[in-house]
Amino acid sequence: MADGLVDDSFDVTNIGVHLNAQEFNEIIDSEDTILVDMRNHYESEIGHFSGAITPDVDTFRDSLDLIEEDLKAHKKDKNLVMYCTGGIRCEKASAYYKHKGFEKVYQLNGGIIEYARQVKENNLENKFIGKNFVFDHRRSESITSDVIAQCHQCGEDCDRHVNCLNEACHLLFIQCDSCKKSMNNCCSTECLEIVALPYDEQKELRKGKDISNKIFKKGRSDKLKFKK
């Protein structure tokens, strides 16, 4: 499956309690609540709920066992409240954690997208900070004006994701306007040198090389000095 979770030993319909925006705001204010971001590192670094645990993971599947291990002492006494972009990942995650013995499992219904809509429509307090990462040409939508991330190349405040211009790389990373200009939309000097070549030469360089481990990789490169 796309999410990497192929465990058939639990009931995927036995999900956590759905919360609307107002209910979500109320429960995350409780000292008995642990709030967990079920998204990946490149999503949460540009925006997340205040006080949320944001696992430094590349995939949804990676986060499941990590979170369970970190919170195993609180399976009975704490509210496990989770959220994601549109609520889909939380449907399976909440069932997984109930299967693993967590007794008080909750999820933000409709995810950040629906939360932002309800906050605006009902004039509720907004507890999300920054941008919501989205999987279309926009890459993100602003929830608040706060910029909580940094350019991965120089460290300046920035929360705009780009893809490296080198087609043999296409790395997703955060780049400010200044670095975009000096690096010509590239993630490294190596890629900068490649994109300066004629396109036919670039194609020739890619022939026969295994580059699948880098294409579309999300912000993981030792060339990104300010990736936190």
Side-chain angles (χ1 to χ4, degrees):
M1 296 181 66
D3 57 26
L5 183 56
V6 292
D7 189 341
D8 295 326
S9 65
F10 67 98
D11 181 1
V12 295
T13 66
N14 184 24
I15 60 176
V17 177
H18 282 163
L19 301 171
N20 62 31
Q22 182 172 345
E23 293 166 336
F24 181 83
N25 280 354
E26 291 170 356
I27 198 170
I28 66 175
D29 277 343
S30 170
E31 61 181 16
D32 293 324
T33 291
I34 299 174
L35 180 60
V36 180
D37 192 320
M38 296 306 303
R39 302 172 303 154
N40 304 325
H41 70 94
Y42 58 90
E43 299 171 83
S44 62
E45 72 179 328
I46 63 170
H48 53 76
F49 281 101
S50 179
I53 295 172
T54 56
D56 186 22
V57 295
D58 292 327
T59 69
F60 168 69
R61 185 66 184 89
D62 290 340
S63 67
L64 294 175
D65 293 338
L66 180 66
I67 292 168
E68 183 194 0
E69 176 63 25
D70 288 347
L71 304 182
K72 62 184 179 182
H74 301 293
K75 289 187 176 183
K76 297 182 182 297
D77 66 326
K78 297 288 187 181
N79 302 316
L80 175 59
V81 180
M82 62 192 73
Y83 68 90
C84 57
T85 305
I88 296 174
R89 278 174 276 189
C90 289
E91 292 288 292
K92 185 164 287 187
S94 65
Y96 179 82
Y97 287 126
K98 289 184 74 173
H99 169 67
K100 290 293 184 177
F102 287 88
E103 296 184 357
K104 304 175 183 179
V105 181
Y106 301 83
Q107 62 197 88
L108 178 59
N109 192 27
I112 300 164
I113 294 172
E114 177 62 15
Y115 176 87
R117 188 194 69 77
Q118 290 182 23
V119 163
K120 184 176 181 179
E121 183 177 277
N122 300 315
N123 196 29
L124 302 175
E125 180 184 0
N126 179 24
K127 294 180 179 291
F128 189 91
I129 305 169
K131 288 183 174 179
N132 180 30
F133 187 98
V134 293
F135 295 88
D136 58 32
H137 68 280
R138 299 171 299 161
R139 296 195 181 94
S140 65
E141 56 183 3
S142 293
I143 306 298
T144 71
S145 60
D146 303 274
V147 178
I148 66 170
Q150 295 78 38
C151 172
H152 288 163
Q153 292 176 314
C154 73
E156 289 297 312
D157 290 346
C158 181
D159 57 9
R160 185 182 62 251
H161 279 101
V162 299
N163 285 109
C164 181
L165 191 62
N166 178 12
E167 291 188 23
C169 174
H170 212 63
L171 182 78
L172 182 75
F173 69 108
I174 295 176
Q175 186 179 53
C176 69
D177 288 336
S178 177
C179 289
K180 178 181 180 179
K181 183 177 180 180
S182 63
M183 295 297 293
N184 190 23
N185 291 88
C186 293
C187 71
S188 64
T189 54
E190 290 86 348
C191 287
L192 181 62
E193 292 170 358
I194 290 173
V195 300
L197 297 172
Y199 189 69
D200 286 346
E201 289 187 35
Q202 294 182 46
K203 288 177 64 177
E204 194 66 29
L205 286 173
R206 295 198 296 271
K207 281 185 179 179
K209 292 188 176 181
D210 181 10
I211 56 176
S212 61
N213 66 326
K214 193 174 183 185
I215 284 185
F216 302 120
K217 198 155 179 62
K218 314 297 186 184
R220 300 290 197 192
S221 171
D222 56 10
K223 304 297 183 182
L224 301 176
K225 297 179 181 180
F226 290 90
K227 164 66 180 174
K228 294 184 179 180

